[in-house]
Structure formats: C-alpha cells, structure tokens
Amino acid sequence: MKTALIADIHGNLIALEAVLGDAERRKVDRVVCLGDVAATGPQPREIVERLAELACPVVQGSTDEWLLSPPEEEQVDDEDTQRILDIDRWAREQLEPEHLELIAGYRPVVELDDLVGYHGSPLSNTDSILPGTPEAELARMLRGHDAAVMAGGHTHVVMMRPYGRSLVVNPGSVGMPFEHIGDGRFRNPPWAEYAIAARGKIEFRRVPIDVRAVTSAALESGMPHGGWWVKDWAWS
C-alpha cells in the first residue's frame, strides 16, 4: 500500500492541491495528514473543508489545538512572532463552529497497520524530533510504538532516520517549507514537500507550486500582514 504523508499545510490550499495532484499521479492508496492544517496561512477554512472531503486520518497538530482554544491575550516582544499570532487569530475568526468541530475530531496519534502518525511525537504535539535528537530522547518519545514507519511533522525539516526496525520520518511541510540561504536567513522555496511510504521504503517528493497564486491568495484573503507573509517566497 502506498501512503502519502502530508504535514504542516498551514492554510496553503494551492500547495495542498499541488501535492494531492502529484499523489494521485503516483497512484497512492491513502493519505495521512500529520497536523498543523489551518493556522498561519491565507486559506484556513478551505483547508479544513478539503481535508474533510478527503476523509483521511488527520493528526491534531500544535496550531490546530491552539485554534480550538486561543489565549485571551497573548502579546510578545518579537515582531515576527507577533505577526504570526495576529495571522493565527485572524485564521481562528475565519472558522465556523463546524470547522472547529472537525479540528476537534483530529486525533493525537494515528495508528494504522504499518504506520504510526503524530505531529511532534506520540507524547506531545509540541515535541521536536530532529536528525540530531539523542537516541535516548527519541526512545522516550517513541516508547510503546514500533511500526515500520513512524511519521511526524512540526519541525518542517525533511528527515529519515532508523530506529530499531522502524524508520522515523518527517515529510517536510506542504504549505510552509523553508531553506537556509546563508547568514541565518531563510526563504520559502517554490515547492511543496511530502513523502510516500510503500513497503518499508520512503520517497520524498518536492512538487512545484504556483507562487504567484500563493501570493495572490494571501494578499486577497484579508489576512493581516499579507505582504510580510509573502515576502520570503522564492519565485524560482
């Protein structure tokens, strides 16, 4: 069975549709979403509805949980972090009760015959599993699980590392990938990331996206700080 692993869509419907089209051409049998679906992007409502149409298993990510119960007041000193909070509060305002009900139904962990899906780790959707996470810490976070593939998101970092008989995988980000461009700077590259798991093997995919369409969606959505959100998207 071929499973498309998608994560960290962050309200980017253009990127999600590009990934779903690629997955269909690759003849995947099922899709598993590893969370962070709606916040921090221009199309939160559309993403929740699209995932509901797919009827695929969805993990409740850290920002999904935040949308269900945002803090009353949350001010920070860092300007970029404040902009993200403003966007996330706007995203929450776009969601009707039926959208929130769908998000509330997302699972902490998805367990299938050959796959365990989570967001940060099976223990917490705010954990970070990275290529350099110490083995003892990885064992603590994955204790009690030994599926052939253990897949999560949260960090937006494409990764695969062995763990016992398992492969620990992060498929990267569908809607908000990033890459280093030097001097501590990052950009959003012109592609969407996901992975296909099949028969114990992992294929990482980068799917070109229409950055102009992403930019237009952000600027026309009414989201706050739209110009800031699009400024780091690379055109080629």
Side-chain angles (χ1 to χ4, degrees), residues 109-127:
V109 178
V110 168
E111 296 186 83
L112 303 173
D113 50 351
D114 55 352
L115 170 74
V116 171
Y118 44 85
H119 186 64
S121 82
L123 288 180
S124 170
N125 59 22
T126 61
D127 281 341

Side-chain angles (χ1 to χ4, degrees), residues 34 40 180 219:
L34 304 172
T40 329
H180 298 266
L219 296 178

Side-chain angles (χ1 to χ4, degrees), residues 40-106:
T40 329
Q43 297 155 303
R45 179 195 302 240
E46 294 88 340
I47 289 294
V48 175
E49 292 173 355
R50 187 70 174 95
L51 290 174
E53 289 174 4
L54 290 175
C56 65
V58 183
V59 172
Q60 189 176 97
S62 52
T63 64
D64 305 320
E65 185 176 16
W66 187 96
L67 288 171
L68 294 173
S69 185
E72 288 292 328
E73 294 291 337
E74 194 172 5
Q75 296 291 324
V76 296
D77 295 330
D78 179 73
E79 290 185 0
D80 286 350
T81 302
Q82 185 60 56
R83 290 185 183 103
I84 291 171
L85 285 171
D86 292 343
I87 294 169
D88 288 349
R89 287 192 179 280
W90 171 85
R92 173 65 170 77
E93 293 169 358
Q94 309 313 302
L95 302 175
E96 300 293 342
E98 55 266 31
H99 300 110
L100 295 172
E101 184 177 356
L102 287 166
I103 293 172
Y106 296 166

